[in-house]
Amino acid sequence: MRKFADDMFIVLISLFLFYIFVLNVNNFTFLDGNQALLLVASISVVAASLWIGVRLSKWLRSFRYTFIVKTLLSSVILLFFSYQLYSPYYYSSNHLEEVGVKQAASYFQVNEEIQSDKEREQKIKAMMTEMMAFATLQTEQLPKGELVDIHTIEITRDYYRFHLTLEIKRSFGTDILKETYRFTFTREGGKFKINGFEKLD
């Protein structure tokens, strides 16, 4: 049992450290566009993570309650991965709906106020994931009209994502356009952001 706990502890520590590297790989600009260098860096991080896991496991053996400490740390790491994989399930439907509606409203209002390109870019990056924001800024296809109302139809969870089906009403002068959209949200940078949407009508 102790051997299994030791091995599991080392694996979890290694996975945790490698996952932190993956989350922050975009900050290492020298790796951009260089697949060979990225592969070498990834292999190096895996090796370093295993080495740290082994060293930490040996160091903890000097403590009296090493088995309990390793079990607790392993449980915390498992809880961390569980949160990463199933984060929408840790929040109430009301909270997810509130966050989703706010982000969707921001998207439909992004053109309502006169603002500089920089301000518009900041708003888009605040409401969308990095890849989604990049695609939106490149195409410059932002919604027209004035947002009148948003009504939630359905909310569903799907592992690390959640989907919000919304009825959107927009004003185009004297005309009111009513459409149904399905937004997908994922966590990035510590909060849920728009990761995609489609018009259902």
Side-chain angles (χ1 to χ4, degrees):
M1 185 64 180
R2 289 183 181 273
K3 179 68 167 59
F4 175 78
D6 284 344
D7 293 342
M8 182 61 67
F9 176 78
I10 292 169
V11 169
L12 287 173
I13 288 291
S14 302
L15 285 174
F16 175 76
L17 293 174
F18 183 72
Y19 183 74
I20 296 301
F21 166 74
V22 171
L23 286 180
N24 295 281
V25 71
N26 290 333
N27 296 327
F28 303 105
T29 54
F30 62 91
L31 295 176
D32 290 346
N34 194 328
Q35 295 298 321
L37 192 58
L38 178 61
L39 178 62
V40 171
S42 299
I43 294 172
S44 300
V45 170
V46 169
S49 299
L50 285 169
W51 182 81
I52 291 172
V54 171
R55 296 298 299 174
L56 186 58
S57 179
K58 289 181 178 178
W59 178 69
L60 286 174
R61 287 175 191 167
S62 61
F63 288 88
R64 183 176 179 182
Y65 300 105
T66 179
F67 179 75
I68 296 174
V69 172
K70 286 182 179 179
T71 301
L72 287 174
L73 287 174
S74 296
S75 299
V76 169
I77 294 173
L78 285 172
L79 184 62
F80 169 80
F81 280 120
S82 172
Y83 178 78
Q84 299 302 312
L85 291 171
Y86 303 101
S87 52
Y89 296 90
Y90 284 80
Y91 298 90
S92 68
S93 295
N94 288 338
H95 177 78
L96 295 177
E97 180 182 353
E98 181 182 345
V99 170
V101 168
K102 182 179 178 180
Q103 298 285 37
S106 296
Y107 171 71
F108 283 102
Q109 292 171 330
V110 75
N111 267 339
E112 286 189 10
E113 299 177 2
I114 298 174
Q115 52 194 320
S116 67
D117 290 340
K118 186 175 182 181
E119 287 176 324
R120 186 181 289 108
E121 180 180 344
Q122 288 174 342
K123 285 187 176 182
I124 290 172
K125 287 183 176 180
M127 73 179 80
M128 295 182 171
T129 58
E130 185 177 351
M131 292 299 294
M132 185 71 183
F134 176 79
T136 301
L137 290 168
Q138 289 295 309
T139 58
E140 297 184 349
Q141 293 182 352
L142 296 172
K144 303 292 191 298
E146 181 182 350
L147 181 65
V148 176
D149 186 39
I150 293 184
H151 173 68
T152 302
I153 298 174
E154 182 184 34
I155 180 171
T156 57
R157 297 172 174 87
D158 181 23
Y159 296 103
Y160 59 92
R161 307 175 298 180
F162 77 91
H163 309 283
L164 203 57
T165 304
L166 301 169
E167 182 183 84
I168 310 292
K169 289 183 181 179
R170 287 182 287 164
S171 171
F172 295 85
T174 58
D175 298 326
I176 300 293
L177 179 64
K178 183 171 70 173
E179 299 172 310
T180 303
Y181 283 84
R182 185 174 186 257
F183 282 81
T184 299
F185 300 86
T186 58
R187 280 184 67 83
E188 184 180 276
K191 64 179 183 179
F192 286 105
K193 294 184 177 182
I194 299 170
N195 193 46
F197 63 86
E198 60 178 329
K199 189 167 74 169
L200 302 181
D201 290 337

